Amino acid sequence: MRQDRRLHWLLLAPALLLMAVMLYYPMFGTIYESFHETSFLSPDPKFAGLALYKRVLSDGTFTEVLTNSIVWTLGVVLLQNILGFLTALLLNQNLPMQGTLRAVVLLPFILPGVVAAILWRFMYDPQLGLVNSLLLQAGLIENSVAWLADSRMAMVSVIIAAVWKGFPFSMLIYLAALQNVDRSQIEAATLDGAGPIRRLIDVTLPAIRDVVVVNIVLTLILTFNYFDIIWVLTKGGPQSATHIFPTKIFETGFGQFRFGEAATYGVFSILVLAVLVALYAIVQNGANRRRASA
């Protein structure tokens, strides 16, 4: 038994070492850096204690970044999962050219993030963009809109671009889950007179509930840390209207050389992600208890 335990840890050692080097070392390095102040004129780190935390929290930009991050994350996750699930339901039917349709739907997801952002930047162009052209032809707007330059529309614009880029990921997961739903239960519900909506609510959704929860948590974490779309489209502007934690960290650290403040934003970002993971654990434990008591 003791030899088996030693062999167990010996086999796990490479993975644990890699995780420590790639994950935990940078994390603790960020925490250490958040207690030291640097600048372009004074690049050598100087211990500042909690001064950087106080500075960041007292700055109105932090509240704006936190609010933007929440709006961005919830907006993208909600729309991405709804659109992904509806698309999965459609592609789960016996449609002609089913393989081709699935390949076409996956195209946005396989595009590099920077390429997708540049594509949407052209589409949002006030003069030559496809978005304004279609809306003008449909009579929905009277004048061209500067989608990325308007602080009221910039966040909506980047959310739409991110949903277009990311919904095939959710679609793929939901499609795999739908194909594993017990067909006999659906057929039994049909014989009992249940319509499509009732079968969806009573049979399909309970069967894939765990997949839905895991997918929502995954998209929450991925979206919260997403950088490419917003940085290429707006660089956090206009007037910080689309700044989220990753863009603010990049701008503060590599744009202004204030690595201590950038690390402080990184620590707050880690805390928010920890809260998200804790919420997932609470929801998952509650679901496990309900299944155990059923």
Side-chain angles (χ1 to χ4, degrees):
M1 180 66 70
R2 183 174 298 176
Q3 291 179 348
D4 292 341
R5 188 178 294 110
R6 289 177 179 175
L7 179 62
H8 171 79
W9 285 109
L10 182 62
L11 294 175
L12 282 177
L16 294 175
L17 180 61
L18 182 63
M19 183 178 296
V21 173
M22 300 298 293
L23 179 63
Y24 294 110
Y25 176 74
M27 184 183 299
F28 287 112
T30 298
I31 297 173
Y32 173 83
E33 190 75 26
S34 68
F35 294 104
H36 295 78
E37 187 171 7
T38 59
S39 66
F40 180 74
L41 298 178
S42 181
D44 295 329
K46 295 180 180 178
F47 182 75
L50 296 175
L52 294 178
Y53 287 89
K54 295 178 182 179
R55 184 185 307 171
V56 168
L57 290 174
S58 62
D59 188 358
T61 304
F62 174 79
T63 303
E64 190 172 14
V65 169
L66 178 61
T67 303
N68 289 342
S69 298
I70 294 173
V71 171
W72 153 263
T73 303
L74 295 181
V76 172
V77 170
L78 180 63
L79 295 176
Q80 176 176 322
N81 278 272
I82 291 175
L83 185 57
F85 182 70
L86 293 177
T87 307
L89 284 176
L90 178 63
L91 295 180
N92 195 42
Q93 310 303 315
N94 292 323
L95 300 174
M97 301 179 64
Q98 192 175 65
T100 303
L101 289 175
R102 292 178 181 179
V104 170
V105 172
L106 283 174
L107 282 177
F109 180 64
I110 64 177
L111 278 177
V114 174
V115 175
I118 293 174
L119 175 63
W120 276 94
R121 191 169 185 175
F122 281 118
M123 292 176 64
Y124 281 135
D125 186 89
Q127 304 302 325
L128 304 174
L130 180 62
V131 174
N132 277 329
S133 177
L134 292 176
L135 293 178
L136 286 170
Q137 291 179 8
L140 297 177
I141 58 175
E142 297 181 356
N143 300 303
S144 295
V145 178
W147 300 98
L148 300 178
D150 188 341
S151 58
R152 298 169 299 177
M153 298 301 302
M155 180 59 76
V156 176
S157 301
V158 296
I159 286 176
I160 291 173
V163 170
W164 176 85
K165 174 73 172 66
F167 89 90
F169 173 79
S170 296
M171 182 276 297
L172 202 61
I173 293 178
Y174 288 136
L175 183 59
L178 290 172
Q179 292 178 341
N180 289 320
V181 175
D182 191 352
R183 304 300 301 179
S184 62
Q185 293 184 4
I186 297 178
E187 292 172 359
T190 304
L191 292 175
D192 290 338
I197 297 178
R198 181 53 57 187
R199 293 198 300 269
L200 175 65
I201 295 174
D202 292 342
V203 179
T204 304
L205 286 178
I208 65 171
R209 177 174 53 195
D210 291 342
V211 175
V212 172
V213 173
V214 171
N215 188 52
I216 289 176
V217 173
L218 283 176
T219 51
L220 273 173
I221 295 173
L222 292 173
T223 302
F224 187 85
N225 288 314
Y226 203 63
F227 174 80
D228 299 351
I229 290 284
I230 288 185
W231 187 256
V232 174
L233 286 177
T234 65
K235 287 186 171 58
Q239 299 176 349
S240 299
T242 58
H243 252 320
I244 59 174
F245 277 107
T247 59
K248 185 62 178 178
I249 291 169
F250 184 84
E251 181 187 69
T252 305
F254 296 98
Q256 302 172 2
F257 297 98
R258 293 184 293 162
F259 296 108
E261 288 186 36
T264 305
Y265 275 101
V267 171
F268 284 117
S269 177
I270 293 172
L271 293 176
V272 174
L273 285 176
V275 171
L276 294 178
V277 173
L279 289 175
Y280 164 70
I282 293 172
V283 172
Q284 193 67 15
N285 289 335
N288 292 336
R289 290 195 196 96
R290 286 193 296 270
R291 283 196 297 269
S293 60

